[in-house]
Amino acid sequence: MSLKAIELQIAIPKTFEAGKIAEQKQQQSQLAQDIANMQTEKQTLKSRETVMESDPYAKLDGDDRQPDDESQRHLEKIEKEQQQAKHPFKGSFVDYSG
């Protein structure tokens, strides 16, 4: 099938228009992908800066809290054991002469 001169006058400009339209669609899809990447980055940064879950009993600073009764009793028990270990003469001399 051969093209005549008159048909070429119509076909060639339409080829250029089709090429321009294809290029615009490609640029549009690239732009949409770039926008989606930017939104993902923003969301990632926001999720890094925010707290997703928090323990309801968590405190901001552990130094401010008062020791509860159980931990206080535990500390007193450890101190008693350390005082008992410091007996004046028991355990201070070990006889190795067998």
Side-chain angles (χ1 to χ4, degrees):
M1 181 169 162
S2 63
L3 294 174
K4 296 181 183 177
I6 296 175
E7 292 174 346
L8 287 175
Q9 289 177 355
I10 298 171
I12 292 176
K14 292 200 182 222
T15 304
F16 289 121
E17 289 176 19
K20 287 179 183 179
I21 291 172
E23 185 180 351
Q24 288 174 354
K25 285 185 179 181
Q26 186 179 9
Q27 288 177 354
Q28 194 174 26
S29 64
Q30 181 67 32
L31 182 63
Q33 187 175 4
D34 290 342
I35 291 172
N37 285 339
M38 286 176 32
Q39 288 176 346
T40 304
E41 288 178 13
K42 284 181 184 179
Q43 186 177 7
T44 304
L45 288 174
K46 185 177 180 181
S47 66
R48 285 182 189 169
E49 294 175 355
T50 59
V51 177
M52 295 298 181
E53 293 181 16
S54 65
D55 189 9
Y57 301 106
K59 301 205 177 197
L60 293 175
D61 191 7
D63 296 337
D64 295 343
R65 65 182 179 99
Q66 296 292 327
D68 56 344
D69 292 335
E70 186 175 328
S71 64
Q72 187 67 26
R73 279 185 258 152
H74 181 68
L75 290 174
E76 289 173 1
K77 182 179 177 183
I78 291 173
E79 288 176 5
K80 276 186 182 179
E81 290 174 358
Q82 288 176 351
Q83 288 175 354
Q84 289 175 355
K86 295 180 184 179
H87 198 274
F89 59 87
K90 285 186 181 179
S92 61
F93 178 77
V94 178
D95 187 13
Y96 287 108
S97 63

PDB file of all heavy atoms in Angstrom, residues 38-50 52:
ATOM      1  N   MET A  38       7.629  11.790  46.906  1.00  0.00           N
ATOM      2  CA  MET A  38       7.756  12.888  47.870  1.00  0.00           C
ATOM      3  C   MET A  38       6.787  12.702  49.033  1.00  0.00           C
ATOM      4  O   MET A  38       7.139  12.936  50.188  1.00  0.00           O
ATOM      5  CB  MET A  38       7.517  14.230  47.181  1.00  0.00           C
ATOM      6  CG  MET A  38       8.668  14.659  46.306  1.00  0.00           C
ATOM      7  SD  MET A  38       8.453  16.181  45.363  1.00  0.00           S
ATOM      8  CE  MET A  38       7.433  17.191  46.356  1.00  0.00           C
ATOM      9  N   GLN A  39       5.565  12.280  48.747  1.00  0.00           N
ATOM     10  CA  GLN A  39       4.589  12.048  49.812  1.00  0.00           C
ATOM     11  C   GLN A  39       5.031  10.904  50.718  1.00  0.00           C
ATOM     12  O   GLN A  39       4.867  10.967  51.941  1.00  0.00           O
ATOM     13  CB  GLN A  39       3.215  11.753  49.212  1.00  0.00           C
ATOM     14  CG  GLN A  39       2.546  12.961  48.609  1.00  0.00           C
ATOM     15  CD  GLN A  39       1.217  12.624  47.942  1.00  0.00           C
ATOM     16  OE1 GLN A  39       0.912  11.458  47.709  1.00  0.00           O
ATOM     17  NE2 GLN A  39       0.438  13.646  47.631  1.00  0.00           N
ATOM     18  N   THR A  40       5.614   9.870  50.128  1.00  0.00           N
ATOM     19  CA  THR A  40       6.104   8.746  50.925  1.00  0.00           C
ATOM     20  C   THR A  40       7.237   9.190  51.840  1.00  0.00           C
ATOM     21  O   THR A  40       7.292   8.799  53.006  1.00  0.00           O
ATOM     22  CB  THR A  40       6.590   7.616  49.999  1.00  0.00           C
ATOM     23  OG1 THR A  40       5.539   7.248  49.117  1.00  0.00           O
ATOM     24  CG2 THR A  40       7.027   6.395  50.798  1.00  0.00           C
ATOM     25  N   GLU A  41       8.141  10.016  51.325  1.00  0.00           N
ATOM     26  CA  GLU A  41       9.235  10.525  52.148  1.00  0.00           C
ATOM     27  C   GLU A  41       8.714  11.387  53.293  1.00  0.00           C
ATOM     28  O   GLU A  41       9.194  11.281  54.426  1.00  0.00           O
ATOM     29  CB  GLU A  41      10.214  11.330  51.291  1.00  0.00           C
ATOM     30  CG  GLU A  41      11.053  10.483  50.372  1.00  0.00           C
ATOM     31  CD  GLU A  41      11.976  11.314  49.500  1.00  0.00           C
ATOM     32  OE1 GLU A  41      12.141  12.523  49.774  1.00  0.00           O
ATOM     33  OE2 GLU A  41      12.534  10.752  48.547  1.00  0.00           O
ATOM     34  N   LYS A  42       7.732  12.235  53.007  1.00  0.00           N
ATOM     35  CA  LYS A  42       7.154  13.074  54.056  1.00  0.00           C
ATOM     36  C   LYS A  42       6.509  12.209  55.135  1.00  0.00           C
ATOM     37  O   LYS A  42       6.650  12.475  56.333  1.00  0.00           O
ATOM     38  CB  LYS A  42       6.107  14.021  53.472  1.00  0.00           C
ATOM     39  CG  LYS A  42       6.696  15.194  52.717  1.00  0.00           C
ATOM     40  CD  LYS A  42       5.595  16.096  52.194  1.00  0.00           C
ATOM     41  CE  LYS A  42       6.132  17.237  51.356  1.00  0.00           C
ATOM     42  NZ  LYS A  42       5.045  18.085  50.828  1.00  0.00           N
ATOM     43  N   GLN A  43       5.788  11.181  54.710  1.00  0.00           N
ATOM     44  CA  GLN A  43       5.123  10.302  55.654  1.00  0.00           C
ATOM     45  C   GLN A  43       6.153   9.542  56.497  1.00  0.00           C
ATOM     46  O   GLN A  43       5.966   9.368  57.704  1.00  0.00           O
ATOM     47  CB  GLN A  43       4.222   9.322  54.909  1.00  0.00           C
ATOM     48  CG  GLN A  43       3.376   8.457  55.805  1.00  0.00           C
ATOM     49  CD  GLN A  43       2.449   7.563  55.002  1.00  0.00           C
ATOM     50  OE1 GLN A  43       2.533   7.495  53.785  1.00  0.00           O
ATOM     51  NE2 GLN A  43       1.582   6.867  55.695  1.00  0.00           N
ATOM     52  N   THR A  44       7.247   9.120  55.881  1.00  0.00           N
ATOM     53  CA  THR A  44       8.298   8.415  56.608  1.00  0.00           C
ATOM     54  C   THR A  44       8.928   9.324  57.654  1.00  0.00           C
ATOM     55  O   THR A  44       9.138   8.918  58.801  1.00  0.00           O
ATOM     56  CB  THR A  44       9.385   7.915  55.638  1.00  0.00           C
ATOM     57  OG1 THR A  44       8.772   7.089  54.645  1.00  0.00           O
ATOM     58  CG2 THR A  44      10.452   7.121  56.364  1.00  0.00           C
ATOM     59  N   LEU A  45       9.230  10.558  57.285  1.00  0.00           N
ATOM     60  CA  LEU A  45       9.801  11.504  58.246  1.00  0.00           C
ATOM     61  C   LEU A  45       8.838  11.782  59.391  1.00  0.00           C
ATOM     62  O   LEU A  45       9.235  11.863  60.552  1.00  0.00           O
ATOM     63  CB  LEU A  45      10.177  12.814  57.543  1.00  0.00           C
ATOM     64  CG  LEU A  45      11.393  12.757  56.624  1.00  0.00           C
ATOM     65  CD1 LEU A  45      11.548  14.080  55.879  1.00  0.00           C
ATOM     66  CD2 LEU A  45      12.637  12.441  57.419  1.00  0.00           C
ATOM     67  N   LYS A  46       7.571  11.925  59.065  1.00  0.00           N
ATOM     68  CA  LYS A  46       6.574  12.196  60.100  1.00  0.00           C
ATOM     69  C   LYS A  46       6.452  11.003  61.051  1.00  0.00           C
ATOM     70  O   LYS A  46       6.357  11.189  62.265  1.00  0.00           O
ATOM     71  CB  LYS A  46       5.229  12.491  59.445  1.00  0.00           C
ATOM     72  CG  LYS A  46       4.160  12.895  60.429  1.00  0.00           C
ATOM     73  CD  LYS A  46       2.872  13.250  59.736  1.00  0.00           C
ATOM     74  CE  LYS A  46       1.822  13.654  60.738  1.00  0.00           C
ATOM     75  NZ  LYS A  46       0.551  13.972  60.101  1.00  0.00           N
ATOM     76  N   SER A  47       6.479   9.794  60.503  1.00  0.00           N
ATOM     77  CA  SER A  47       6.363   8.615  61.364  1.00  0.00           C
ATOM     78  C   SER A  47       7.601   8.430  62.228  1.00  0.00           C
ATOM     79  O   SER A  47       7.519   7.880  63.324  1.00  0.00           O
ATOM     80  CB  SER A  47       6.110   7.361  60.529  1.00  0.00           C
ATOM     81  OG  SER A  47       7.236   7.063  59.731  1.00  0.00           O
ATOM     82  N   ARG A  48       8.767   8.882  61.769  1.00  0.00           N
ATOM     83  CA  ARG A  48       9.966   8.807  62.595  1.00  0.00           C
ATOM     84  C   ARG A  48       9.884   9.763  63.782  1.00  0.00           C
ATOM     85  O   ARG A  48      10.418   9.485  64.845  1.00  0.00           O
ATOM     86  CB  ARG A  48      11.210   9.168  61.780  1.00  0.00           C
ATOM     87  CG  ARG A  48      11.652   8.104  60.843  1.00  0.00           C
ATOM     88  CD  ARG A  48      12.902   8.536  60.131  1.00  0.00           C
ATOM     89  NE  ARG A  48      13.225   7.605  59.066  1.00  0.00           N
ATOM     90  CZ  ARG A  48      14.127   7.818  58.141  1.00  0.00           C
ATOM     91  NH1 ARG A  48      14.805   8.952  58.145  1.00  0.00           N
ATOM     92  NH2 ARG A  48      14.365   6.930  57.208  1.00  0.00           N
ATOM     93  N   GLU A  49       9.233  10.894  63.592  1.00  0.00           N
ATOM     94  CA  GLU A  49       9.186  11.910  64.634  1.00  0.00           C
ATOM     95  C   GLU A  49       8.050  11.710  65.621  1.00  0.00           C
ATOM     96  O   GLU A  49       8.077  12.278  66.704  1.00  0.00           O
ATOM     97  CB  GLU A  49       9.076  13.292  63.984  1.00  0.00           C
ATOM     98  CG  GLU A  49      10.310  13.678  63.201  1.00  0.00           C
ATOM     99  CD  GLU A  49      10.145  14.986  62.464  1.00  0.00           C
ATOM    100  OE1 GLU A  49       9.042  15.550  62.490  1.00  0.00           O
ATOM    101  OE2 GLU A  49      11.127  15.430  61.853  1.00  0.00           O
ATOM    102  N   THR A  50       7.056  10.934  65.267  1.00  0.00           N
ATOM    103  CA  THR A  50       5.926  10.740  66.163  1.00  0.00           C
ATOM    104  C   THR A  50       6.017   9.392  66.861  1.00  0.00           C
ATOM    105  O   THR A  50       6.648   8.460  66.384  1.00  0.00           O
ATOM    106  CB  THR A  50       4.590  10.804  65.399  1.00  0.00           C
ATOM    107  OG1 THR A  50       4.583   9.784  64.386  1.00  0.00           O
ATOM    108  CG2 THR A  50       4.402  12.148  64.756  1.00  0.00           C
ATOM    109  N   MET A  52       4.312   6.042  67.906  1.00  0.00           N
ATOM    110  CA  MET A  52       3.195   5.219  67.452  1.00  0.00           C
ATOM    111  C   MET A  52       2.414   4.641  68.635  1.00  0.00           C
ATOM    112  O   MET A  52       1.209   4.696  68.690  1.00  0.00           O
ATOM    113  CB  MET A  52       3.695   4.074  66.570  1.00  0.00           C
ATOM    114  CG  MET A  52       4.309   4.550  65.292  1.00  0.00           C
ATOM    115  SD  MET A  52       3.087   5.417  64.309  1.00  0.00           S
ATOM    116  CE  MET A  52       4.055   5.826  62.899  1.00  0.00           C
TER     117      MET A  52
END
